[in-house]
Amino acid sequence: MKILVTNDDGIDSVGLKTLWESLKEQADLRIAAPSWQQSGRGVGITYDAPLKVFEVDSYGTTRSWKIEGTPADCVKLSLSALLDFTPDLIVSGINHGSNAGRNVLYSGTVGAIIEGVLRGIPGIAFSYACDKRATFPFIKKFIPQIVSYLVEHPLPRGTFLNVNFPPVPEEEIKGFRMACQGKGYWLESPEKEITPLGHSEYRMVGNRCFYDEPEDSDITLLDEGYITAVPIHVDQLTDHIHLKEKKILFETSLNRCFFNGNF
């Protein structure tokens, strides 16, 4: 199996090394990751500057590149220029910190996977709901089994798997649950500073925003100690219910004004 490995924490992150170590005996790997921390970049790309690329030797015989760009840049450039194959799968992570709930909209870890999914390549985003100081003592052994499951049971086109590990000791993990996406996300609480030049600066710190979550949401199940996997579909974002209900009303109302010259 041919796999592209990436992340948003940077080429030298513990999570990326853990992901590589867990899969290097199972698949033919290539690594392309940002040169430095790119958390919160989502599916953002670089279009107004060249992307500097450096091949590195940090991962044994696995060809690896660090790219001065976003996670989505890394996937775009890999698929268009760097790789000598089309990957069967893209895996991203292991992210420091949870990407459960609506945090997927901000996540660079997830953004890299979305870029691949939009090109028809399935993917898994891995995140560990731990703080930045944590290592990955027992996470590594779960990765090959999750990848093997996805090989045996492929996802529908346009869908990726968002996997989160709970912040509990190994002996307290209750097992695996496939879940729905929760509502929780990161809510900012800006800290203001006045610079010596007199202008304002804001540091975008924040905390988790809580909601009443369904029992089968990834937020709830992570808090209970389960490893969660959410199948997230991004290929078609149209709200088809609204389209069906309001299409005629919208077109009739606006076209009446248009053809009557009321704009």
Side-chain angles (χ1 to χ4, degrees):
M1 190 176 188
K2 301 180 186 304
I3 299 177
L4 172 63
V5 183
T6 188
N7 75 344
D8 71 352
D9 286 327
I11 190 73
D12 296 318
S13 70
V14 173
L16 186 66
K17 291 179 180 178
T18 302
L19 198 54
W20 168 70
E21 290 172 354
S22 70
L23 294 173
K24 64 181 180 180
E25 304 300 328
Q26 182 182 9
D28 185 8
L29 305 180
R30 301 291 184 274
I31 296 173
S35 296
W36 50 74
Q37 175 65 251
Q38 292 285 326
S39 294
R41 303 297 181 183
V43 292
I45 59 173
T46 303
Y47 64 88
D48 56 355
L51 295 173
K52 295 181 180 179
V53 180
F54 305 89
E55 191 156 1
V56 298
D57 58 4
S58 308
Y59 293 90
T61 58
T62 301
R63 290 200 70 186
S64 308
W65 298 271
K66 65 177 182 179
I67 299 168
E68 293 187 359
T70 68
D73 285 332
C74 293
V75 174
K76 278 184 173 292
L77 196 60
S78 295
L79 298 179
S80 300
L82 300 178
L83 295 184
D84 53 354
F85 57 64
T86 298
D88 302 303
L89 180 71
I90 300 176
V91 296
S92 183
I94 302 168
N95 186 67
H96 263 109
S98 171
N99 274 316
R102 291 183 287 183
N103 286 317
V104 295
L105 299 173
Y106 305 114
S107 169
T109 303
V110 173
I113 295 301
I114 290 175
E115 179 58 40
V117 168
L118 295 179
R119 294 166 177 247
I121 302 172
I124 312 173
F126 290 103
S127 301
Y128 181 23
C130 61
D131 64 35
K132 295 295 183 183
R133 297 166 295 176
T135 57
F136 299 79
F138 58 87
I139 298 300
K140 180 166 58 175
K141 67 181 182 181
F142 295 116
I143 304 298
Q145 285 81 1
I146 296 172
V147 170
S148 294
Y149 170 85
L150 206 63
V151 172
E152 296 174 12
H153 307 279
L155 293 167
R157 183 178 177 88
T159 299
F160 69 92
L161 206 60
N162 185 39
V163 176
N164 280 271
F165 297 95
V168 298
E170 182 177 6
E171 62 272 14
E172 294 181 20
I173 291 180
K174 294 182 178 180
F176 289 82
R177 293 289 296 272
M178 184 166 277
C180 68
Q181 183 182 17
K183 296 180 180 180
Y185 73 107
W186 184 86
L187 183 65
E188 71 284 350
S189 180
E191 294 179 352
K192 183 178 180 180
E193 298 178 0
I194 303 297
T195 72
L197 298 177
H199 65 269
S200 300
E201 290 184 351
Y202 289 87
R203 187 173 297 276
M204 294 292 280
V205 298
N207 293 288
R208 175 177 160 186
C209 184
F210 291 90
Y211 289 84
D212 289 331
E213 298 281 358
E215 293 182 357
D216 62 344
S217 78
D218 55 355
I219 298 287
T220 299
L221 293 169
L222 271 176
D223 287 343
E224 293 176 356
Y226 290 96
I227 300 169
T228 64
V230 179
I232 297 180
H233 187 73
V234 296
D235 191 55
Q236 171 55 256
L237 304 181
T238 304
D239 184 337
H240 285 282
I241 294 176
H242 186 83
L243 175 65
K244 183 177 180 179
E245 290 178 349
K246 301 298 183 181
K247 176 180 172 62
I248 294 176
L249 176 62
F250 176 87
E251 293 177 356
T252 301
S253 299
L254 274 297
N255 283 328
R256 183 184 299 117
C257 295
F258 177 80
F259 290 113
N260 290 336
N262 292 333
F263 282 102

